[in-house]
Every structure is written in C-alpha cells, then in structure tokens.
C-alpha cells in the first residue's frame, strides 16, 4: 500500500515510522457522502471511478512527456518510468494539498493499487512470453560464466552495502538484505537489447554474449526472487514453512513444462485452422494468466510468478504469442503500467531519506553498485581471453535495470523488509545506473570497424565479366514487385551474373521480441514478429527466391534487419559494405494507389532514403514503382516475354547521369528490352545564362562526351538501342521535350541521374519547384502524378569518394591506401584521369 503523507477529514489517527506513515480512518465515514450512502452518492466526483479515470490520465500524460524527452536523450524507457513515479513522490508533488485532494486521495489508493497490480501481472506474463530460453547456449561458456559470476558478486556486494554502517537505519533485518541483493544483481533483458540495437551492436560478438548473459541472469534472478518470497513472511521475518512454498512452486513449474506447454501445443495444433487464431483462444490464454497467478499466490510466491511461468509455457513458434502481445502490450504499456510507476513513486521519499543518508554515502553506494558488475565482468574476460573493451561493455550492459527491479523492491516493501530509506535509496541508484549505461557504452565502446576495400563501388567502374552485387531493400510487400522485375530486366548473364542481397527492413518497436533482433542471413527468417509481419517476411523471401529459380545467372540471399527508423540507414550502409555491393536499390517512400497515383506514403521511409544517399559506400538507386510491368506492356513479368520493354534513359550530364547510363547500358543485349537514350544538350541561350557555373559544368561535359562516345561506338550495330539529342535552353523546354516523348512513345521505365551537386543549364528554373530532393530535379518532375501516370522511374546517384566517404578518391585498406580506379572497369571512368576530348558519334 502506498504511504500517505497528510491527513484527510475522515482520518482519525496518523502515526509515522521508517516503514511509512500508518493511517487509520473510519470506514463508516468513507461510505457516507453528503446526504446519501454508498452507490447512492449525490456527488459523482466523490466516487472512486472518476478519480481512477483522472489518475490514469495524469499518469499517462506524465509518463509520455518524460518518455519523449528521455528518448530524445537516448535513455532507456526505465528512466522515464522511475521519473514518472518520482514526480508524484512526497519530494516533488506528493505533499501538494491539491494533488492529494483531487488526484491521489488516500481513500482511493486501494483501487489504484488493485489495477496497478493487475497490470503488473499481465506485464510479467508478457515478459515471460517474449523471453526465449533457447538463446541460452550452454555450450558457449562465456555468457554462462559472466552471468553467474556477475550475479554472485553483485548480490554479495549488495548485501554488504546494505549493512554499511552509514547506510540508513542501523536496525536492519536479514530479509531487507536479501531483497536488496536480488534487486542489485538483476538485469533487464528487453532494455539491454534495445540499447544494443540503438548502438548497432546486435550483430557483434559482444552483443550476442551480452544478450545471452542477460537471459541467464534474468532466469537466475527469478529463482532467487522465489526463494526470497518463500523464505520470509509478510512481516519480514524468516518463515518456518519455507519448504512448502518452494516445493509447491517447483511442482507448478513442472506442471507448466510437462502439462500446460504440451497441452497448449496440442490444442492449438488441433483447433487452429488455416493459420487463423480465434478470439476464444486469446480469451482462454488471458484467463489462464489469472488462474496461474492465483495458484502461485496460494503457494505463497505472489501471482506475478505464475503469470511469468505461464508466459514461458506458450509455444515459442506459434502465432498466438504475437497476437496476444499485439492485443495486450499497447494497452498495458500505454494505459495501466504508468499506474504502477506512480505507486512506486508514492512510496519513495527523498526528503525523509536525506535525514539518514549523507550525499557521500549515496555517491559511494551508487558508484559501487555500478562498478561491481563492470569489474567482475572485466576479470572474467581476462580469464576467458576476451578483449578488455568487450568485458567493460558487457559489464556496463549488465547494469541495465527495468520493471523487474522495481517489482523486487516493491515486494520487499510490501513485506516490510525494506523501509522507506532503503527503498528510496535503491530506486535512486537504479535511476542513475540506467542513465549511465548507454552514454558510457556509446563513448567508451566504439566497435573496431574493419577497413574494407573493394574496387567496384559503382556500376560504371564495374568489370564487364564479373558479378554485380546489389543490395535490394524493401519495407513491405508492395515494394517487392517493382524491385524484382527491375532486377530481372537488369540482364544477368554468365559473364556478369547478378548477386542480390534482399534486405527486408522491419522497424524495431517495443513489441519486437528481443531474442529475434539479430539479423538472420537466411532465406526464411525465424523472426516471430506480429502475424502480418511474419507472413509478409515469408512471402518476401519466397518472391526473391523465385528470381533465383527462374534465372540461373542470379544468386539471391534474403536478410532480415530489425532496427529503429532513426538508425536504419546505418544497417543498410553497414550491410552494403559488409557484402561489398556496388549498388543499393531502395523503394520510393510513396506507393502506387488504385487510381494510378502515388499516395502519401511513409515519411520515415523517405528520411531513410535521404540518409542512405548521404552515407552510402556505393551507388544508390531509388525506384518509383508505377506498375511498369502490367500497364504499358500488358503483362505481369519480364521473364520469358516476347513483348518489348521500352526503357528511356534521360541524360543531362554529370557523374550521376553517367552512372544511370551505365546501368541502362547493362540492360542492353536482351531481346525483351528496347533502350532509348535521350540526351539534353544546352543551347546557346542556356550556356550564356549559366554564367560562372559553366566552369564546373564544362569539366563534367568533357567526361560526358567521352562516355557518350564510348556508348555510341559499342552499341552502333545494336538495333535495340536508339540515341536522340535535343537542344534545350531552360527547364520549361526540357519539360516540353519530356511531354513529347510521353505522347509519342510508351515507356515502361525512365532511368535518370539524381544530378547531385550539379547545376545544369538544362534544368534552369525547375530547381525551385522540386518537392523531393532525393529524386533530383528531373526525377521529381517525372514522379509527379500530373506529369506521367504510368511509367516507373529509377533515380540513380553515383558513389563519390569526395562526398565524405574518403578523400582524394582513395579507399582505406589495411596497412595503407589504394586508388579506387585501379580495377579495369566495365565502362571506363575518366574522373581520375587527364581528360581527353573525342568527337561524339551520333546515331
């Protein structure tokens, strides 16, 4: 029960102790309000329900505001949870008369605690539901040793700090030391996984060891917690009947493993039809949580134990797990759980604690609490022959706290094992420890990045007789068809096969199972996300796999990446460098609607594309898919068709346009492709108006002429290639040429360069009207719904070493540098050579 701090009119007596203030009140006066009794009260605002609704609103508003600001500072959710409670502690708002009268009156605290405890029961059920014990790899001794040693050392240190002479009241009991040490040694696995995901360390060896060690620590913490609950009575004294709760809890655990788990599996396998889980299945599971909680409550080890064990009993690979999480998580985390944090705050009193503790003692205890796991893990890493930096990082991560730590403290508070002083002290220690973990890890542990050197970072520099590696990214199913058909028309051959890495990008949310965050380089990911995402992942993997089946010159590998939207571009770029790809293919963030227009799309996907364009280690293409396979040519796939696919490449000039032409050139040689290259040549008026910008443009023009000459010379006998030049003086004339092309031809796909950092006289006047910078001027114009309704658009940006990747067009290698243009290219690049002018041949 929360600790009251002031009296109300109906209270008859108040007494204070270090275990909180005890309030006695007249129960008869509680039911008499005005001239009415009980439910007949004439004043509805004096009833419990309006107060409870007010408490929910206040708690959620406070938590959401604090969560927003702590996430902005990259702090774990646990920090917002504790701060939410401390806001309403006696130190801040807990003694405010208006708050106590109108928001948190003591006479309705039991209602508040009842719903908070119910939320906690279901939250512990979700904790067990999301925990995958299969991650515990006994064969790998490193996480096992780190977890066991860290928990033992931390528990012993916590026990010693509890009995520190200057730490609180000298009259302490054994039960308090036990609860303190258990809370001291616990680690919160979900928040730890979130920190690793934010810092892009999930795929590192350190991240895997830390996650496995956290799972083991969580499991051992529950065992110790059950011993603590069974070993002491509700008065905080040693229980003489300790053996009975332990045996009954063990029996219930065996019941869950040998009866409930196989029973649920049998029922699901025989009643779930067509992969559809009915509402009755969910209802029985939710009712089972309450039943299991009642059983363990009767055993003497609290209802949360039964809920947690029941969550572990649900079959790991069944869709019911994520279906329940989707129905429960948002309601619990967003509505009811903030009430539990409020209860924790009402029990803490910094002002009262400061009477018994000095600042020096608090600083010593908190610093010792943080360092003990770091030191123990570093020592373990020495014996396990691990890098010290990895040991330090894992030790810091083992200090990650969460809801489980508050549960342990509140259990000790309920049993009168922990007084206000020690409860508040440990709560503050948890707050400081959680705030320090991620910043320290971010600054002190910087993963040693491998210096990767590979020559073919662009399509233009690619050898004609070697495979082209492409990283194709998709967010959801609608992105797949356009990208797969574009890959099919990219002309994979025996001399130049296509190696495709299909990356399915999934947003990391609070509901994502932490054990499934690591990217799996498999065709069918094991990720058990929500039913929709899980089914979508399988369909995406099967669709990309079909490319490999239908084309022997194409190799496909599907990879699933789970990451927050804010840092998803880092996963894409790291994967591209790891796989040494030459081209990253991204879907445009707006999808085609039923009326042929582009919808609003997902703004977060657009930000990901912009970040990839800025940080990519190779060339990047963005595909605006308008259904290029089924509108213009009247068919649904490129493979095996006799109908020609009309592709237009619009060449304005610059490195991006040369890269776009190189990709379009690669498509030449197939019977099903007709390529038209349309070059926009600036007229005299455009050149005069360009003025000072002409110097840079002339440098690019010299290289453009050489590349166009090479293209014309090598394709002069190919009847499927057509070359056109149009003289234009401004952007308006360029638009008129595009409209004429659209009216007189039926193109399935336009390929254009992004023209990044290139001011072309051809596009003068169009830059101010560009609404999507990541598509460039011409790409944005083509993507407008009122311009072209049918043709898809591929916008390409060429990788440039001078754009912040490396300097002087050189890439780092181990032991030195190597020129980026050393390889023999598929189509020769002259960017790093002395320019030579050739007279362009025209078809």
């Amino acid at each position: 029960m929360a600790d009251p701090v002031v009296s109300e009119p109906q209270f008859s007596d108040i007494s204070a102790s270090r275990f909180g203030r005890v309030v006695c009140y007249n129960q008869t006066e509680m039911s008499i309000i005005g001239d009415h009794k009980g439910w007949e009260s004439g004043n509805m605002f004096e009833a419990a329900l309006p107060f409870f609704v007010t408490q929910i609103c206040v708690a959620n508003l406070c938590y959401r505001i604090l969560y927003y600001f702590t996430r902005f500072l990259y702090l774990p959710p646990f920090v917002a949870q504790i701060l939410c409670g401390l806001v309403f502690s006696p130190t801040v708002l807990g003694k405010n008369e208006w708050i106590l009268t109108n928001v948190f009156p003591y006479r309705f605290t039991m209602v508040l605690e009842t719903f908070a405890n119910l939320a906690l029961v279901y939250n512990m059920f979700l904790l067990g539901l999301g925990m995958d014990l299969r991650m515990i790899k006994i064969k790998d001794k490193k996480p096992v040793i780190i977890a066991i040693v860290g928990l033992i050392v931390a528990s012993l240190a916590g026990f010693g700090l509890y009995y520190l002479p200057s730490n609180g009241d000298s009259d302490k009991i054994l039960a308090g030391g036990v609860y303190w040490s258990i809370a001291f040694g616990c680690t919160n696995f979900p928040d730890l996984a979130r920190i690793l995901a934010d810092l892009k360390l999930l795929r590192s060896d350190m991240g895997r060891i830390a996650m496995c060690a956290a799972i083991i620590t969580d499991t051992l913490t529950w065992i110790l917690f059950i011993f603590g609950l069974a070993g002491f009575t509700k008065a905080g004294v040693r229980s003489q009947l300790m053996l009975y709760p332990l045996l009954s809890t063990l029996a219930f655990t065996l019941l869950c493993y040998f009866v409930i788990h196989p029973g649920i599996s049998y029922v699901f396998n025989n009643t779930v039809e067509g992969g559809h889980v009915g509402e009755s299945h969910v209802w029985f599971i939710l009712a089972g949580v309450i039943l299991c909680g009642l059983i363990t409550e009767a055993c003497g080890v609290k209802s949360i134990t039964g809920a947690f064990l029941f969550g572990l009993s649900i079959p790991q690979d069944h869709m019911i797990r994520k279906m329940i999480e989707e129905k429960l998580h948002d309601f619990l985390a967003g509505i009811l759980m903030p009430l539990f944090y409020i209860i924790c705050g009402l029990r803490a009193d910094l002002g009262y604690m400061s009477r018994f503790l000095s600042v020096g003692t608090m600083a010593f205890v908190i610093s010792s609490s943080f360092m003990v796991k770091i030191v123990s893990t570093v020592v373990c890493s020495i014996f396990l022959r691990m890098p010290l930096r990895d040991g330090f990082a894992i030790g810091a991560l083992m200090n990650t706290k969460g809801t489980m730590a508050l549960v342990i403290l509140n259990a000790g508070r309920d049993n009168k094992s922990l007084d206000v002083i020690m409860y508040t002290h440990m709560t503050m220690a948890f707050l400081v420890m959680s705030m320090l973990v991620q910043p320290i890890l971010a600054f002190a542990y910087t993963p040693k990045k491998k210096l990767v050197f590979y020559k073919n970072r662009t399509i233009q520099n690619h050898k004609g007789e070697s495979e082209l590696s492409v990283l194709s990214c998709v967010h959801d199913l609608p992105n797949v068809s356009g990208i797969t058909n574009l890959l099919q028309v990219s002309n994979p051959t025996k001399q130049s096969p296509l190696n495709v890495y299909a990356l399915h990008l999934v947003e990391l949310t609070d509901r994502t199972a932490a054990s499934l965050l690591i990217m799996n380089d498999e065709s069918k990911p094991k990720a058990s996300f929500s039913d929709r995402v899980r089914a979508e992942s399988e369909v995406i993997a099967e669709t990309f796999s079909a490319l490999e089946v239908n084309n022997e010159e194409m190799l496909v590998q599907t990879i699933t990446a789970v990451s927050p939207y804010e840092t998803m571009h880092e996963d894409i770029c790291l994967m591209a460098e790891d796989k040494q790809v030459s081209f990253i293919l991204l879907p445009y963030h707006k999808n085609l609607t039923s009326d042929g227009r582009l919808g609003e799309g997902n703004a977060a996907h657009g930000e990901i594309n912009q970040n990839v364009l800025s940080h990519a280690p190779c060339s990047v293409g963005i595909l605006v898919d308008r259904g290029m396979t089924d509108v213009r040519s009247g068919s649904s796939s490129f493979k095996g068709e006799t109908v020609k696919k009309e592709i237009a490449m619009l060449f304005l000039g610059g490195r991006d346009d040369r890269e776009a032409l190189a990709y379009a050139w690669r498509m030449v040689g197939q019977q099903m492709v007709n390529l038209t290259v349309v070059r926009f040549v600036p007229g005299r008026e455009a050149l005069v108006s360009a003025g000072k910008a002409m110097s840079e443009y002339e440098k690019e023009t010299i290289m453009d002429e050489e590349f166009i000459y090479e293209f014309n010379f090598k394709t002069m006998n190919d009847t499927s290639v057509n070359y056109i030049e149009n003289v234009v003086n401004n952007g308006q004339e360029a638009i008129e040429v595009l409209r004429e092309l659209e009216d007189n031809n039926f193109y399935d796909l336009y390929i254009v360069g992004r023209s990044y950092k290139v001011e072309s006289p051809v596009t003068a006047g169009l830059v101010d009207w560009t609404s999507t910078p990541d598509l460039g001027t011409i790409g944005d114009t083509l993507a407008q719904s009122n311009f072209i309704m049918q043709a898809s658009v591929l916008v390409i940006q060429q990788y440039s070493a001078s754009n912040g990747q490396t300097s002087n067009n050189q890439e780092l290698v181990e032991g030195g540098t190597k020129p980026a243009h050393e390889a023999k290219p598929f189509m020769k690049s002259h960017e790093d050579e002395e320019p030579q002018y050739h007279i362009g041949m025209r078809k």
Side-chain angles (χ1 to χ4, degrees):
M1 182 180 295
D3 303 317
V5 293
V6 298
S7 61
E8 294 185 73
Q10 68 270 24
F11 300 154
S12 57
D13 186 33
I14 298 179
S15 60
S17 71
R18 66 187 180 94
F19 290 97
R21 295 190 178 185
V22 180
V23 179
C24 301
Y25 54 87
N26 191 328
Q27 184 66 34
T28 304
E29 293 181 3
M30 290 291 294
S31 62
I32 299 178
I33 304 174
D35 298 330
H36 304 272
K37 293 186 178 181
W39 63 273
E40 296 179 339
S41 172
N43 188 351
M44 61 173 296
F45 293 101
E46 294 294 331
L49 181 59
F51 273 97
F52 179 66
V53 174
T54 303
Q55 292 164 355
I56 288 180
C57 295
V58 171
N60 278 274
L61 179 62
C62 177
Y63 174 68
R64 287 300 165 187
I65 293 175
L66 292 171
Y67 180 76
Y68 173 79
F69 284 107
T70 53
R71 286 299 297 164
F72 175 76
L73 298 172
Y74 298 99
L75 296 175
F78 183 64
V79 174
Q81 294 167 4
I82 292 184
L83 290 177
C84 178
L86 292 178
V87 166
F88 296 98
S89 68
T91 309
V92 185
L93 298 177
K95 291 184 178 180
N96 184 276
E97 184 177 354
W98 188 89
I99 294 292
L100 290 172
T101 305
N102 299 284
V103 182
F104 295 106
Y106 183 70
R107 62 183 182 277
F108 296 132
T109 301
M110 290 303 297
V111 177
L112 178 65
E113 289 198 354
T114 300
F115 280 92
N117 287 326
L118 179 64
L120 184 61
V121 168
Y122 278 104
N123 190 73
M124 290 295 105
F125 165 70
L126 290 181
L127 182 63
L129 196 69
M131 187 176 291
D132 190 355
L133 297 182
R134 294 176 299 181
M135 284 191 65
I136 301 177
K137 299 177 181 179
I138 304 299
K139 295 181 180 180
D140 189 0
K141 62 181 181 180
K142 292 180 181 178
V144 178
I145 293 176
I146 289 174
I148 294 177
V149 172
L151 183 61
I152 293 176
V153 173
S155 299
L156 293 176
F159 200 81
L161 291 173
Y162 175 78
Y163 281 102
L164 193 68
S166 58
N167 189 15
D169 197 302
S170 59
D171 184 17
K172 298 175 182 176
I173 58 177
L174 177 63
V178 172
Y179 282 105
W180 232 57
S181 60
I182 296 174
F184 197 84
C186 75
T187 299
N188 190 54
F189 174 70
D191 282 344
L192 181 146
R194 165 71 71 168
I195 293 174
L196 289 173
D198 289 343
L199 298 178
K200 302 302 173 188
L201 297 173
L202 280 173
R203 301 185 69 206
S204 63
D205 292 336
M206 184 278 295
R208 294 188 179 96
I209 293 174
M211 292 178 70
C212 186
I215 284 282
I216 298 173
T217 302
D218 269 4
T219 305
L220 296 177
T221 298
W222 269 101
I223 296 175
L224 294 177
F225 184 48
I226 292 173
F227 270 91
L229 292 173
F232 301 96
T233 66
K234 292 184 177 181
V237 297
R238 187 173 179 180
S239 175
Q240 301 297 325
L241 303 175
M242 176 181 177
L243 186 62
Y244 297 100
L246 290 178
L247 291 177
S248 58
T249 304
L250 177 62
F252 178 75
T253 304
L254 297 176
L255 178 71
C256 289
Y257 185 79
F258 291 105
V259 178
I260 296 180
H261 176 74
I264 293 176
S265 299
Y266 175 80
V267 171
F268 285 161
N269 293 334
N270 290 274
T271 59
V272 175
E273 299 179 357
H276 177 70
V277 178
E279 295 294 331
S280 59
H281 295 85
V282 178
W283 185 90
F284 278 110
I285 293 296
L286 298 182
V289 177
I290 300 298
L291 178 61
C292 292
L294 289 174
I295 294 175
T296 52
E297 187 72 36
C299 295
V301 289
K302 288 190 175 292
S303 56
I304 57 175
T305 306
F308 176 78
L309 292 174
F310 185 66
L312 289 176
S313 303
I314 306 299
Q316 283 285 341
D317 298 325
H318 203 279
M319 64 184 68
I320 189 70
R321 297 177 68 91
K322 291 305 163 185
M323 187 173 181
I324 293 174
E325 280 194 358
E326 287 186 336
K327 290 181 177 295
L328 270 183
H329 183 275
D330 291 338
F331 178 71
L332 284 177
I335 303 296
L336 292 183
M337 278 306 291
L339 299 177
F340 173 72
Y341 309 139
I342 295 294
I343 294 297
C344 297
L346 293 176
R347 294 181 167 190
D349 192 342
L350 291 173
Y352 186 76
M353 180 190 69
S354 61
R355 302 177 190 174
F356 299 86
L357 291 178
S358 64
V359 177
T361 301
M362 291 181 60
F364 175 76
V365 172
I366 293 175
S367 59
S368 301
S369 303
F370 190 80
M371 291 302 300
V372 62
K373 280 199 173 184
I374 294 179
V375 173
S376 64
T377 306
V378 169
V379 172
C380 288
S381 66
I382 295 175
F383 287 96
L384 296 173
R385 296 181 180 179
M386 292 171 53
L388 292 180
R389 57 199 297 272
D390 285 0
F392 177 83
I394 297 172
L397 285 168
M398 290 296 103
N399 285 311
T400 306
K401 303 298 180 181
T403 304
M404 185 61 190
L406 292 179
V407 170
I408 296 172
L409 290 182
N410 279 275
R413 188 74 180 83
D414 291 335
N415 292 349
K416 294 185 178 180
S417 301
L418 295 174
D419 57 16
V420 176
I421 306 168
M422 305 310 292
Y423 175 88
T424 307
H425 193 183
M426 185 53 74
T427 301
M428 294 304 300
F430 288 164
L431 175 63
V432 176
M433 292 166 67
S434 299
M435 294 176 66
L436 292 176
V437 172
Q438 187 161 342
I440 288 180
L441 203 64
F443 286 103
Y445 184 87
T446 302
K448 187 177 181 181
K449 186 178 180 180
K450 297 180 180 179
L451 300 177
V452 179
F453 167 71
Y454 66 99
K455 303 171 184 177
N456 298 322
R457 293 181 183 266
T458 67
I459 302 172
Q460 185 181 349
N461 285 348
H462 197 272
K463 289 183 178 180
E465 296 184 356
S466 62
E467 69 175 17
L468 175 65
S469 297
V470 179
L471 180 64
S472 300
C473 305
V474 294
H475 294 280
D476 44 38
L477 205 54
N479 301 149
V480 177
S481 60
I483 288 182
T484 53
N485 283 286
L486 178 63
L487 292 172
Q488 284 181 337
V489 81
S490 297
N491 194 22
T493 62
K494 291 183 178 180
Q495 292 75 22
S496 182
L498 205 60
N499 189 7
V500 179
Y501 298 97
L503 187 63
H504 181 203
L505 303 171
V506 180
E507 182 189 10
L508 174 62
T509 63
D510 291 336
R511 290 198 304 266
T512 307
S515 60
L516 306 166
L517 296 178
I518 301 176
M519 294 186 234
N520 299 302
D521 295 2
E522 302 174 4
S523 60
K524 291 187 178 181
K526 297 179 180 179
S528 57
F529 310 120
S530 65
D531 293 341
R532 180 186 62 80
V533 176
R534 181 183 180 185
E536 195 172 58
S537 298
E538 294 178 355
V539 174
I540 289 173
E542 292 173 358
T543 304
F544 275 100
S545 298
L547 292 176
E548 188 177 15
V549 174
N550 296 330
N551 197 322
E552 295 180 356
E553 288 77 32
M554 190 179 299
L555 180 64
V556 180
Q557 185 177 6
T558 305
I559 305 169
T560 302
V562 185
S563 179
Y565 278 150
E566 295 82 2
T567 58
M568 190 171 282
H569 67 280
E570 297 179 16
D571 284 328
I572 297 174
C573 296
L574 288 174
M575 183 63 64
E577 194 160 17
D578 182 51
K579 301 299 182 181
Q580 300 188 9
V581 303
S582 302
F583 189 49
I584 298 175
L585 188 55
L586 301 169
Y588 189 49
H589 66 279
K590 297 181 180 180
N591 294 327
L592 190 70
T593 59
S594 57
D595 61 354
R597 297 179 179 272
L598 291 175
E600 292 297 326
N602 191 324
H605 294 174
E607 293 179 1
I608 293 171
N609 290 350
Q610 293 178 16
N611 289 329
V612 172
L613 288 170
S614 301
H615 301 91
C618 60
S619 296
V620 181
I622 298 178
L623 177 63
V624 182
D625 182 21
R626 290 184 179 276
M628 58 182 176
T629 59
D630 54 8
V631 177
R632 293 303 178 93
S633 301
S635 63
S636 59
S637 92
F638 280 110
K639 186 66 179 178
E641 295 178 3
T642 58
V643 180
K644 291 285 186 178
K645 296 302 175 185
E646 299 292 339
I647 298 175
M649 191 276 141
L650 307 180
F651 192 94
L652 280 73
R655 64 167 66 243
D656 292 346
D657 286 60
R658 293 193 293 272
E659 186 76 354
L661 179 56
Y663 191 78
W665 191 350
R666 181 181 176 85
M667 299 178 179
V668 174
Q670 305 176 88
Q671 294 181 356
M672 59 182 175
V673 171
N674 279 337
L675 175 63
T676 300
V677 178
V678 181
R679 185 183 184 188
F680 293 83
V681 180
R684 183 181 301 273
E685 181 182 337
L687 295 176
V688 172
S689 61
K692 297 180 179 179
M694 280 302 299
S695 58
E696 183 67 26
Y697 179 76
E698 288 175 354
K699 295 179 181 179
E700 294 290 340
T701 301
I702 295 174
M703 291 182 280
D704 292 342
E705 289 290 345
E706 291 196 16
F707 195 64
I708 289 291
Y709 172 80
E710 184 180 2
F711 170 77
N712 282 328
F713 183 79
K714 292 184 178 180
T715 61
M716 60 188 306
N717 296 321
D718 195 334
T719 58
S720 66
V721 179
N722 187 28
Y723 179 85
I724 303 172
E725 281 192 356
N726 288 277
V727 178
V728 294
N729 290 299
N730 50 50
Q732 184 61 37
E733 293 185 10
I735 295 295
E736 293 175 0
V737 172
L738 293 177
R739 291 191 182 279
E740 184 179 351
L741 287 172
E742 178 66 11
D743 294 337
N744 299 332
N745 302 276
F746 298 95
Y747 293 114
D748 297 288
L749 174 67
Y750 283 93
I751 302 178
V752 298
R754 187 189 176 201
S755 298
Y756 181 61
K757 291 185 177 180
V758 176
E759 297 181 6
S760 174
V762 175
T763 58
L766 293 180
V767 178
D768 297 336
W769 297 94
T770 302
S771 60
T772 310
D774 49 338
L775 295 182
T777 304
I778 295 298
D780 180 72
T781 303
L782 294 172
Q784 296 298 324
S785 298
N786 58 359
F787 186 76
I788 294 177
M789 295 297 298
Q790 310 298 341
S792 299
V793 182
L794 176 63
V795 181
I796 295 179
Q797 172 184 281
Q798 186 182 67
Y799 166 78
S800 173
S802 61
N803 289 341
Q805 308 294 338
T806 53
S807 60
N808 299 324
N809 278 344
Q810 291 182 334
E811 299 169 6
L812 292 173
V813 291
E814 294 184 7
T817 58
K818 197 170 183 177
H821 61 271
E822 188 173 288
K824 182 180 178 181
F826 172 59
M827 281 148 303
K828 201 169 183 179
S829 173
H830 302 278
E831 297 176 9
D832 303 311
E833 302 176 1
E834 291 296 327
Q836 298 178 1
Y837 182 78
H838 295 272
I839 300 176
M841 295 181 62
R842 302 287 179 257
K843 280 190 169 185

